[in-house]
Each structure stands twice: as C-alpha cells, then as structure tokens.
Amino acid sequence: MLDIAEEPLSLRRLVLERGLAPAETLARAELVQGETGEPLDTVLTRLGLVSERALAEAIAKAAGLRIAVPADFPAEPVAPERLSPRFLRDARAVPLRETQAGVEVAFVDPLTPFGRDALAFSLQRPVVPLVARSGDMEAALDRLYPADDLRAGEAGGVDEADVERLRDLSSDAPVVRAVNALIGRAAEAQASDIHIEPTEDALKIRLRIDGALRDEDPLPAHLKSAFVSRIKVMAGLNIAERRLPQDGRLRLAVRGHDIDLRVATAPTIHGESVVLRLLDRSNLALDFDSLGFDGDSLARYLRVLRQPHGIVLVTGPTGSGKTTTLYASLAVMNTADRKILTIEDPIEYRLAGINQTQVSAQIGLSFAAALRSFLRQDPDVMMVGEIRDLETAQVAVQAALTGHTILSTLHTNSAAAAVTRLLDMGVEPFLITSTLNAVLAQRLVRRLCPHCREPFEPPPEMLEALGVDGAGERLERLWRPVGCAACGHGGFRGRIAVLELLVVDEETERLVLARAESREIQAAAGLRTMLQDGLDKARAGLTTLDEVLRVTREG
C-alpha cells in the first residue's frame, strides 16, 4: 500500500492530512462505502463524521479552486441537449455557465478525474472546475432535473447501524430527500429557524438567518401534505391530527453536526404550517467575547457573577439572546464545587454538569413551584428561565436572601426598566435593594462579514438624518456590508449583542427605595447605554450604524 504522502491527491488523503477525521473513522467510512457503493464524501457527511463545509473548504484549498455558492447555480440547465441528468447525478456535477475559458462546472469531488474528463468530452470544451457542498449540489440537481429519480445503492453487512442510517438518509423517496436537503441547507447557512408555510398553490419555505427571513425555492403544491407528514413522523407527532397545534422534538446528525430541532405545527386555511427551530450545539457560543462583551463590560459582569449570592437579571425582547447569555454565565460558574439547577421553558440546549428541568404546566410544574423544590436540594446557583409573575419573583427573592445566586430574565426595554418592572409586579423596594446585584440589557445586531466589509466616511447629513446628534467626531469612519462567498453575498455573518449593564450601588438603592422612575435610575447610574455600546461597535467595524439604530430604537 502507498504511503499517504506518496498517494495522488485524493479525498482520502485530504481527510487524513488535514485532520478532518482520524484514521479509524476513515476506515469505518470506507467499510460502509464498500457495502453501499456511495461516494466516500457522502458516507463521511451523512453519517455525521465530517461536516460538508470543512470537506469543501479542504478540497478547495488543496486544489486551488473556488467554492460554488447557491447563487452560482443557474436558473435553467446548461447544455441540456448534451448532458444527461442521470450522468450528472452519477458524477455529482452541475454546469454553471459557459465562458470564454470553457464551461464552469461545480463538482462535489473535483479530485476524481472521471467526471471532468467525461464532461469535457461531451461538451467539446474545456471544463473549469469549482467545488460544491453536497447539500447545495443535491438541491440544484433536484431543482434543475426534477424528473430524474435514481435509486440509491443497496447496503448490507459491516456496522448495521451505520448502513441503516445511511440507507434512510439516502432514501429515493423525493419527499424524504427534500426534507433532508432542506434541513441540511438550513444547518449549513446557520439558520435559527425554518418556516414552512402552505399557500394555495405551493409550499413556501423561508429560513431565518441572523434574525432576518430569507426566501428559499418553494415546493410544488402536490408535496404539501407529504412534506409536512414526513416532518411530523420524524418529530413523533400525530400525522392524523391536522386540526390542532402540536409540538415535538427530534435530533439529527446533519452535515457532520448533532442538531436538535424543535418542531411546532399549526393549522392554517391552506394546510399545516410548520416551524423548525435549529439548536446546533456546535454553534452555541458560550464565550463572552463572541457574544459581544468588550473588556470593560466583561470585567464588570464577571465581578457580578462572582458575588456569593443575589439576583442577576438579563433583559430584552424575545430573540435578543438572553438565554445564550445566561448559558454563557452558567458555563463560567459551572465548577466542581457548585451545584447548579435550572428551570426552563423550553430547555434549548443540554449543558453538561448542570441539572436542567423543563416547565410542565399540565402537572403544575411552574417556574415558582420548581424554584421552591430546588431549595430543598441544596443548590448554589439556580437559573429561572423567566420571571413572569409576582409569585416567581417572590420565591427568587427569598432564595437570594437565603444565600443563593439566582439568574433569570425579564422582558423590559432597558436595564433600569427592570427595576421598575419588579416594583410594578409588587416586589417591595427593600427586598429589591437587598437582593438585586445587577441587570444586563441587550439586543442582537447582525455582525459585518470581516472578509468583505468596507469603510466609508459618513456625511454629516446622514448622521443628522439618522438622529445621531453630536456624534460626528466619534463616527468619522463607519463600515458597510459588501457581500462575498464567505457570507453568502449578504454582507453579514452571525450576530453580536449590544449591551448595557446596571450594577446596583448605593445611589441606585436610594432611588429604588424612593420608587423612582427608570429614567432617573438610568441617569443617576451613569451607565454606558446600549446605543453608546452599539456606536462603539459600529465604529470598530463589527456592525453597521443602521443595525444599531434599528434595535436601540425599539419600544
């Protein structure tokens, strides 16, 4: 057998040399490949052993090729009279466009010469190869050549669990393939949600990426029932019940990552609407730097978390990243000498070493009831998903008074407003001053792609129109999105938080006891507001001024 360094450039060699998978994992994949007849990259990605993104990037870097993004794929087939759909599926190739240099063609594995040579012969022109992720290739082939329906190779022997899983994921049923491809595309795009909405003549598909909805190609109307039923089967829901909303959950290995999906269905006039929330643990940021905490705000917040007891609140509207910040806080506090309990609705991510409990209204397990029961388990830290009512607030206060640390969330527009919200609930001012350590308010803004963002000097009239008075000297240079392959040509990739942290001091306590308005508390505290934090992040090129103003002007 050739030494790996002496082998011709191949997928196998790349996987080993670049450490994408250990040798024993590759051997396992090659055994399954021998039984199923599937290409090696398909086995690696669909069994969750290597991610599609990592595989495509490794091939592109080694071969000096560009990665084809979804926008590169044509609206109509290129040279359909010269190329058979069956051949393109076998070669896992899609011609993109004809140029003076030849025909640009996307390949999942351009390292194999057969496909390139055969295409060049058929087209009678040079082939200019690009690298495509398998999910993008499947979606393009299904869209461009929908009538082509090939059977997957039969399998048997070796590790039966691997083979059965691969056979299921490679099923030849169009609806199964379409569901798998959609979830795969959403995971690759790092979407947080998939919205599946039936209309009179189609099934509308949208992905929520970095907080904004993006349209996908719709599916034909005849697939509506089968598509939704497939998702309901996967989530363990009742496919016969179409009149009532249902909730379920499932876990998949998608493109090399374990992903939990929360599934919610609802009846509409044209059929059942479905929303899938993707909870990709591999993308869960539990470090404060990636969340948007800078040096000063992080140091102050960590000092608050180190206090031996008291309440820390994180506030903001739905979808502002409160739960992620709480998880990051728990990760910092999760040491061997602490017992941590949480009560959540729902549990979004499983955290190792932490005891997590799900709210269940049907059996009377509310936030307050769970918090009371937690006190009998001698915890050090308790996280309550949300303080919604006076009962939960009172139990949290009593727990803090007896020497426990409580983390929770509130729905308010600012840090100072959280104090007045507790007063409005009926919590006594002296109890707030005795237990509340700090309030962190936050919003999420889209993060500029670092690869393609560009600076510009904002004209004074622009700043005046946006209402940023007196900030001209601080905003002499801003940044704007451009779009490139790394960010899917959207100009943004990921999100960060803009923050304001109110640490309760003597002056704040005096105002709380006097039942002061939130404006007075904010002014007296002299805190760095979310707007100021956002302006600093816009000047640093992390986001845009429009994004900052969009979220800080809410409410």
PDB file of all heavy atoms in Angstrom, residues 314-326:
ATOM      1  N   VAL A 314     -31.154  39.330  33.127  1.00  0.00           N
ATOM      2  CA  VAL A 314     -30.837  39.683  31.745  1.00  0.00           C
ATOM      3  C   VAL A 314     -32.156  40.052  31.079  1.00  0.00           C
ATOM      4  O   VAL A 314     -33.122  39.281  31.131  1.00  0.00           O
ATOM      5  CB  VAL A 314     -30.158  38.520  31.000  1.00  0.00           C
ATOM      6  CG1 VAL A 314     -29.822  38.937  29.569  1.00  0.00           C
ATOM      7  CG2 VAL A 314     -28.893  38.082  31.729  1.00  0.00           C
ATOM      8  N   THR A 315     -32.226  41.239  30.475  1.00  0.00           N
ATOM      9  CA  THR A 315     -33.491  41.717  29.930  1.00  0.00           C
ATOM     10  C   THR A 315     -33.378  41.992  28.437  1.00  0.00           C
ATOM     11  O   THR A 315     -32.296  42.205  27.900  1.00  0.00           O
ATOM     12  CB  THR A 315     -33.947  43.014  30.630  1.00  0.00           C
ATOM     13  OG1 THR A 315     -33.177  44.114  30.135  1.00  0.00           O
ATOM     14  CG2 THR A 315     -33.773  42.918  32.134  1.00  0.00           C
ATOM     15  N   GLY A 316     -34.527  42.010  27.803  1.00  0.00           N
ATOM     16  CA  GLY A 316     -34.613  42.265  26.368  1.00  0.00           C
ATOM     17  C   GLY A 316     -35.840  41.583  25.808  1.00  0.00           C
ATOM     18  O   GLY A 316     -36.445  40.728  26.470  1.00  0.00           O
ATOM     19  N   PRO A 317     -36.224  41.916  24.588  1.00  0.00           N
ATOM     20  CA  PRO A 317     -37.390  41.279  23.964  1.00  0.00           C
ATOM     21  C   PRO A 317     -37.079  39.850  23.549  1.00  0.00           C
ATOM     22  O   PRO A 317     -35.939  39.387  23.638  1.00  0.00           O
ATOM     23  CB  PRO A 317     -37.665  42.167  22.752  1.00  0.00           C
ATOM     24  CG  PRO A 317     -36.324  42.746  22.409  1.00  0.00           C
ATOM     25  CD  PRO A 317     -35.615  42.923  23.714  1.00  0.00           C
ATOM     26  N   THR A 318     -38.104  39.149  23.076  1.00  0.00           N
ATOM     27  CA  THR A 318     -37.905  37.796  22.556  1.00  0.00           C
ATOM     28  C   THR A 318     -36.906  37.825  21.398  1.00  0.00           C
ATOM     29  O   THR A 318     -36.962  38.697  20.527  1.00  0.00           O
ATOM     30  CB  THR A 318     -39.249  37.227  22.046  1.00  0.00           C
ATOM     31  OG1 THR A 318     -40.162  37.198  23.140  1.00  0.00           O
ATOM     32  CG2 THR A 318     -39.073  35.829  21.507  1.00  0.00           C
ATOM     33  N   GLY A 319     -35.973  36.877  21.423  1.00  0.00           N
ATOM     34  CA  GLY A 319     -34.990  36.792  20.344  1.00  0.00           C
ATOM     35  C   GLY A 319     -33.806  37.723  20.497  1.00  0.00           C
ATOM     36  O   GLY A 319     -33.100  37.985  19.523  1.00  0.00           O
ATOM     37  N   SER A 320     -33.565  38.228  21.708  1.00  0.00           N
ATOM     38  CA  SER A 320     -32.438  39.148  21.906  1.00  0.00           C
ATOM     39  C   SER A 320     -31.214  38.449  22.490  1.00  0.00           C
ATOM     40  O   SER A 320     -30.250  39.117  22.869  1.00  0.00           O
ATOM     41  CB  SER A 320     -32.854  40.313  22.814  1.00  0.00           C
ATOM     42  OG  SER A 320     -33.290  39.839  24.079  1.00  0.00           O
ATOM     43  N   GLY A 321     -31.242  37.119  22.587  1.00  0.00           N
ATOM     44  CA  GLY A 321     -30.066  36.381  23.031  1.00  0.00           C
ATOM     45  C   GLY A 321     -29.931  36.238  24.533  1.00  0.00           C
ATOM     46  O   GLY A 321     -28.857  35.900  25.040  1.00  0.00           O
ATOM     47  N   LYS A 322     -31.025  36.465  25.278  1.00  0.00           N
ATOM     48  CA  LYS A 322     -30.955  36.409  26.743  1.00  0.00           C
ATOM     49  C   LYS A 322     -30.538  35.023  27.236  1.00  0.00           C
ATOM     50  O   LYS A 322     -29.680  34.886  28.115  1.00  0.00           O
ATOM     51  CB  LYS A 322     -32.321  36.769  27.356  1.00  0.00           C
ATOM     52  CG  LYS A 322     -32.829  38.153  27.003  1.00  0.00           C
ATOM     53  CD  LYS A 322     -34.091  38.510  27.761  1.00  0.00           C
ATOM     54  CE  LYS A 322     -35.267  37.606  27.432  1.00  0.00           C
ATOM     55  NZ  LYS A 322     -35.698  37.711  26.033  1.00  0.00           N
ATOM     56  N   THR A 323     -31.155  33.976  26.662  1.00  0.00           N
ATOM     57  CA  THR A 323     -30.856  32.613  27.117  1.00  0.00           C
ATOM     58  C   THR A 323     -29.397  32.252  26.840  1.00  0.00           C
ATOM     59  O   THR A 323     -28.742  31.622  27.670  1.00  0.00           O
ATOM     60  CB  THR A 323     -31.795  31.608  26.429  1.00  0.00           C
ATOM     61  OG1 THR A 323     -33.150  31.948  26.742  1.00  0.00           O
ATOM     62  CG2 THR A 323     -31.519  30.196  26.917  1.00  0.00           C
ATOM     63  N   THR A 324     -28.879  32.669  25.684  1.00  0.00           N
ATOM     64  CA  THR A 324     -27.483  32.370  25.363  1.00  0.00           C
ATOM     65  C   THR A 324     -26.548  33.034  26.367  1.00  0.00           C
ATOM     66  O   THR A 324     -25.555  32.446  26.807  1.00  0.00           O
ATOM     67  CB  THR A 324     -27.149  32.840  23.939  1.00  0.00           C
ATOM     68  OG1 THR A 324     -28.055  32.229  23.022  1.00  0.00           O
ATOM     69  CG2 THR A 324     -25.732  32.467  23.552  1.00  0.00           C
ATOM     70  N   THR A 325     -26.851  34.281  26.754  1.00  0.00           N
ATOM     71  CA  THR A 325     -26.029  34.964  27.756  1.00  0.00           C
ATOM     72  C   THR A 325     -26.100  34.243  29.099  1.00  0.00           C
ATOM     73  O   THR A 325     -25.090  34.092  29.792  1.00  0.00           O
ATOM     74  CB  THR A 325     -26.483  36.431  27.908  1.00  0.00           C
ATOM     75  OG1 THR A 325     -26.274  37.111  26.670  1.00  0.00           O
ATOM     76  CG2 THR A 325     -25.712  37.136  29.004  1.00  0.00           C
ATOM     77  N   LEU A 326     -27.291  33.766  29.466  1.00  0.00           N
ATOM     78  CA  LEU A 326     -27.413  33.027  30.717  1.00  0.00           C
ATOM     79  C   LEU A 326     -26.618  31.723  30.653  1.00  0.00           C
ATOM     80  O   LEU A 326     -25.967  31.338  31.637  1.00  0.00           O
ATOM     81  CB  LEU A 326     -28.889  32.721  31.017  1.00  0.00           C
ATOM     82  CG  LEU A 326     -29.748  33.895  31.485  1.00  0.00           C
ATOM     83  CD1 LEU A 326     -31.170  33.432  31.770  1.00  0.00           C
ATOM     84  CD2 LEU A 326     -29.159  34.548  32.735  1.00  0.00           C
TER      85      LEU A 326
END
